[in-house]
Amino acid sequence: MQFGQAKQLNLLSPSKLLLLALIYALLWFGTLHYRHLIPSDEGRYAEMAREMLVTGDWVTPRYNGYLYFEKPPLQIWATALAFKAFGIGEWQARLWTALTGFLTILMIGFTSAKVYGARAGFLAAVVLAASPMWIISGHVNSLDMGLSAFLVAALCSLLLAQHTHHVKSTRNWMWLCWGFMALATLSKGLIGIVIPAMVFLAYSISKWDWRIWRRLYLVSGTLLFLLICAPWFILVSQRNPQFLEFFFIHEHLQRFTQDDHSRTGPIYYFLPLLIIGFLPWILQIPGAILKAWSARRPTFSSSWLLTCWAVVIFAFFSISHSKLPGYIIPIFPALAILVGIRLDQLLGQHNSLKLPWKLQVLAFAVLGTVGFFFLPEISKQARPDEIIAYAQYTQWVIAALVTLIIFSLIATWQSRRNGLLSITSFAGGFFLCALIAGTGHETLGRAVSGVDLAERVKSSIPEHANFYSVRILDHTIPFYLGRTMIMVAAPDELEFGVQQEPQLWLPSLEDFIIRWKEDVTAYALMVPDQYVELQKQGLPMEEIGRDSRRVIVKHPDTVSPSKQ
């Protein structure tokens, strides 16, 4: 056995792989508690789970006390269970996204190893584990990671089903595929079944291969899909007749075709996100896709299906009228498998990498060095009251850049002696760089989260006092105060909820002023400018706490719990 092959097998031994996975898991999950929740997704979905747990209603989702039917409840269920098991907090709110993101890395490594070989599987997992957008998304409480995880699990199940030649194994993997699509649908809606369907169709047309459809177990798979999905949709529709029209028409058809949600963007909106989100591996994509094109054959071509997956999702959301960064997260695992195949090919039998790889890795060391010249730009974005926070965040960025430079130089040195170790070192540097920069965002996000304001005033607010939210929907204060608020004048994204239950809100500022004068036990949240405006009108208010973005006031006649 050649020396390079021996080192390669040593790194891929079960004990070494387990050690790497454990170290990665400790770093991946160990930082979940460090940052406080920030608007809007993190606070929104944490608060929805808290309300579900407190009310005991596991069928009808509510946000800030109002009906909220924009998304299905799978992640809310999971987070509410995490709150019940471990208590209510930040890391518990992020546990679902972190867990699904981590398991997806393992899933694509397993799938790629089964289809393309052990080294290709290891490389695919390493590529995804070091992709900045996947790392950040796995540490943010948003629905996109859970959706992506189940979509990719369905994709992997399909690949494994088509790879096996045993009828029973094919059927079982395809049933898993249908089950994962059902869970994706329960995570974020019909996109969980629409995306796979579009990909299958694009694959069949581009390759003119319709035989794949015979091995999808359409009848039994559809029954399994409905068995998992249908119960919640039926129950929530029975309890809320208005659900079906809002969910399927407004949240799906209109969101894709209209600009009402103010989430528009140019056709190239996702291109910069793809480049930044897959940055360390972006130069490998053209070669990986060319390899997939050349590998097409009359029988099933898994690499071409992966290519169709990435292209279809990217194109679909690029033409959509609703665009958010997280929409393209599902393409990164497919690209990771393709790049893993490409890197496996580049390593060859001798486990060494040629000059282009060394130049690429060295370029990132240079890029990290150049980053130091742009550090002053970070503080230029600071508000006057946030200069210290931005200065602190600069220190985190410096640590991230130093890490990237060191690991890139190590990977450059290793490239000829041990190519597999060089790729692993390079990936480790990018993972740590993204993790450090993302974790350090707490220095900026703490003020946005409102946690300090909530902690100062929480004990002084009676449990059953009415709390008004005046022309503002704050996505974190309700969670940190542990209470819902009565919306005033501007319902924001709760418009559907207040329309269904108009008795639970105040439609105008005048209505609030009348109610405030009568409700001597009331509290209210508003922005500082609104507070000044109401003061000028002579409205009786007593400030009990504020930060740079919010003010909390009470009626002057309110007696705090500590004085009762």
Side-chain angles (χ1 to χ4, degrees), residues 1-55:
M1 182 180 293
Q2 295 182 8
F3 183 66
Q5 290 177 311
K7 282 193 172 183
Q8 166 189 318
L9 292 175
N10 185 42
L11 183 60
L12 296 180
S13 67
S15 59
K16 291 290 182 62
L17 291 178
L18 180 60
L19 179 61
L20 285 174
L22 288 175
I23 294 173
Y24 189 85
L26 287 173
L27 293 169
W28 180 271
F29 292 102
T31 56
L32 292 180
H33 71 288
Y34 187 79
R35 293 182 301 104
H36 290 89
L37 302 179
I38 59 174
S40 56
D41 283 3
E42 286 210 300
R44 178 195 301 116
Y45 297 122
E47 173 60 15
M48 289 177 68
R50 187 196 68 82
E51 292 179 36
M52 180 173 284
L53 179 64
V54 170
T55 63

Side-chain angles (χ1 to χ4, degrees), residues 197-241:
M198 290 190 303
V199 172
F200 296 159
L201 187 60
Y203 170 85
S204 300
I205 293 175
S206 63
K207 197 169 176 291
W208 207 248
D209 177 13
W210 302 95
R211 286 171 294 184
I212 186 177
W213 293 86
R214 301 174 188 172
R215 291 160 58 90
L216 296 184
Y217 287 83
L218 289 170
V219 176
S220 59
T222 300
L223 290 174
L224 178 62
F225 178 89
L226 294 174
L227 182 65
I228 296 173
C229 271
W232 176 75
F233 282 96
I234 293 172
L235 280 173
V236 75
S237 300
Q238 288 176 340
R239 298 186 186 184
N240 306 274

